[in-house]
Amino acid sequence: MLEIAFIRNNAEHVKERLAVKHFKELNLVDEAVVVDEKRRAIQKQLDDNLAKQNAIAKEIGELFKQGKKDEADAKKAETAALKEESKTLEEQLSNNETELKNILVRLPNLPNALVPVGKTPEDNLVVKEAGVIPALFPDALAHWDIAKKLNLFDLELGVKITGAGFPVYRGKGAKLQRSLVNFFLDNAVEAGYHEVIPPHMVNEASAFGTGQLPDKEGQMYHITLDEFYMIPTAEVPVTNIVRDEILEEKNMPVKFAAYSPCFRREAGSYGKDVRGLNRVHQFEKVEIVQIAHPDKSYEVLDEMVRHVEGLLTKLELPYRILRLCGGDMSFGSALTYDFEVWSAAQKRWLEVSSVSNFETFQSNRMKTRFRDESKKTRLVHTLNGSALALPRIVASLLENHQSTDGTVKIPSALQPYTGFSILS
RNA sequence: GGUGAGGUGGAUGAGUGGCUGAAAUCAACAGUUUGCUAAAUUGUCGUACUGAGAAAUUGGUACCGAGGGUUCGAAUCCCUCCCUCACCGCCA
């Protein structure tokens, strides 16, 4: 959520930047300014009113103490009109604040200056491509066929138990999941992240804090009986650790890493996009989160990008890094790098990580501040990234590292975790 | 799920209608003292919105779990909800 004080003083700039995101309702910016102006006027009047009431109440208290009961009773009448008026003003203020919030909540974050102009995924900027794209033999298999032959996971079984998109991993397939999670977590802890295991459901306030509500309500599974939401990513519970907190600058950046299952409804997906592990409703992921000083958040973003790169390199997977264009980046992000790995048999790039700087978009919602040198409170910057999401990593591992004999080689960095060097 | 107790500032904790934005202690921060450490001592020590000011600063308002209510006036009284703790029940 953008800060109203900033919009107030930079309305034209805000509109300009929002246009880069192809945001259509630029008129909302002006509306916000108008509503805010009204809000301040109402607030001033209300505050003045309350000040008068407080003064009278104080006088009455004095009179009572002096035993001048009649005078005190006479004074009481004076407040009646004020009270009536204050009540009306309070109502107006509350309506006005709701109106303002409804507008602010619809405004996306401003894109950073580095964000490429563009509308579609084709406009994303490839900033790096690394690793060797393997030249596969003729009858190389897609990961779902490999999984079937080697009995690594079973999608049909998941359908019976739950529904489409809930894979059952088994045998070495299950062990591979566990190994990857440990591998990713160990790397994160090694890089200075504090490991946490967060709740897998969150309340409404947390979902609002990171921006899932109200914007992406349909993405989450909603437990209506208890008003909980299944987390679509550990970003939600982990970032909310610092909700309503004032941090000490010397403790920043705060670095968290968390493994969690992720639950996504993914309504409306179909076709080859959802084949095999390409898109599922439940998957495993290790997420890294940093709470950073505003002046240093872009260094932090680069550091996180390098961390993810390191993981992909160790897994010997060909990957590329994209800087998302204005039209393709998410609502709350100021700058996003997507990581894609090459899916050899499908011959396409699969997104396995998204690393973003949200600047103050989330912290303004969460009221997460820090105290700077002059003891003033300022909003922190929040960043997060997948490091990494498992299903497409598994898809890519299977497809890229398959051999003509139908087995799959495990990258050496992962072997200490799996305890085996090939899937057969 | 049942019963009981309770939710006050970074922590402990006082406060049953006006003198309480909130005692006291501890922690923290700044200074004094000291050869260093320790001790002692003085001061500072919540957040948000908002008015004035270039700024330092300063005026107003709100906030004592959340939301309503009573009252001229609420941390204090009433109602609803949430949470914590203890005991019981159930249970990985």
Side-chain angles (χ1 to χ4, degrees), chain A residues 50-248:
Chain A
L50 291 176
K52 278 184 213 160
Q53 283 173 229
N54 286 343
I56 294 172
K58 215 166 227 174
E59 284 175 39
I60 292 174
E62 277 306 313
L63 292 172
F64 265 117
K65 233 177 289 172
Q66 293 166 15
K68 299 176 183 167
K69 193 165 178 313
D70 292 345
E71 280 182 52
D73 284 339
K75 279 255 176 211
K76 285 187 192 178
E78 285 182 33
T79 60
L82 281 172
K83 270 182 85 171
E84 202 55 39
E85 199 181 340
S86 296
K87 193 161 190 166
T88 313
L89 286 168
E90 250 164 47
E91 241 165 70
Q92 285 177 15
L93 185 64
S94 154
N95 290 341
N96 185 280
E97 279 173 347
T98 307
E99 192 185 344
L100 181 58
K101 192 175 173 186
N102 285 343
I103 294 171
L104 292 179
V105 138
R106 286 160 68 191
L107 295 176
N109 199 5
L110 306 186
N112 178 279
L114 288 173
V115 170
V117 174
K119 200 161 186 181
T120 68
E122 283 71 47
D123 299 321
N124 295 333
L125 183 71
V126 179
V127 294
K128 182 166 181 178
E129 210 168 315
V132 183
I133 293 182
L136 282 190
F137 44 92
D139 52 353
L141 299 177
H143 69 272
W144 50 84
D145 290 327
I146 299 170
K148 195 156 228 170
K149 276 176 76 174
L150 301 179
N151 198 23
L152 301 175
F153 60 82
D154 190 333
L155 286 159
E156 286 75 27
L157 184 53
V159 171
K160 178 172 89 172
I161 299 170
T162 306
F166 291 90
V168 176
Y169 299 92
R170 53 202 316 170
K172 283 185 173 176
K175 182 75 186 285
L176 180 60
Q177 295 285 310
R178 188 149 56 91
S179 305
L180 282 166
V181 168
N182 280 333
F183 171 73
F184 293 145
L185 278 175
D186 284 354
N187 273 277
V189 170
E190 178 72 21
Y193 290 88
H194 178 75
E195 182 178 343
V196 293
I197 299 181
H200 298 164
M201 297 183 204
V202 293
N203 57 29
E204 203 179 326
S206 294
F208 174 80
T210 35
Q212 275 66 31
L213 290 180
D215 323 317
K216 295 184 248 174
E217 174 139 29
Q219 181 196 49
M220 293 184 291
Y221 288 97
H222 185 184
I223 316 288
T224 53
L225 201 55
D226 299 285
E227 272 309 317
F228 292 151
Y229 292 87
M230 303 295 290
I231 58 172
T233 157
E235 164 201 343
V236 181
V238 171
T239 311
N240 273 280
I241 289 174
V242 295
R243 172 155 49 88
D244 289 320
E245 298 286 339
I246 300 176
L247 307 173
E248 291 302 324

Side-chain angles (χ1 to χ4, degrees), chain A residues 261-279:
Chain A
C262 302
F263 304 92
R264 298 188 183 179
R265 295 187 60 235
E266 306 287 7
S269 306
Y270 59 90
K272 67 176 169 30
D273 281 353
V274 303
R275 195 83 197 271
L277 294 179
N278 286 350
R279 181 165 298 163

Side-chain angles (χ1 to χ4, degrees), chain A residues 3-11 33 36-37 39-40:
Chain A
E3 290 160 86
I4 183 61
F6 182 81
I7 298 176
R8 194 190 296 154
N9 299 322
N10 305 278
V33 172
D36 172 57
E37 224 164 276
R39 180 188 122 255
R40 282 147 73 209

Side-chain angles (χ1 to χ4, degrees), chain A residues 256-320:
Chain A
F256 291 120
Y259 153 74
S260 86
C262 302
F263 304 92
R264 298 188 183 179
R265 295 187 60 235
E266 306 287 7
S269 306
Y270 59 90
K272 67 176 169 30
D273 281 353
V274 303
R275 195 83 197 271
L277 294 179
N278 286 350
R279 181 165 298 163
V280 285
H281 289 307
Q282 178 182 330
F283 62 93
E284 326 293 304
K285 178 161 64 65
V286 170
E287 181 81 0
I288 51 178
V289 171
Q290 291 209 41
I291 314 297
H293 189 291
D295 299 345
K296 297 184 184 147
S297 65
Y298 280 93
E299 290 166 38
V300 166
L301 182 67
D302 289 343
E303 175 205 311
M304 291 169 79
V305 165
R306 283 196 300 276
H307 179 78
V308 175
E309 271 197 89
L311 298 175
L312 292 171
T313 305
K314 286 184 189 174
L315 291 178
E316 300 166 34
L317 293 176
Y319 66 91
R320 62 178 193 177

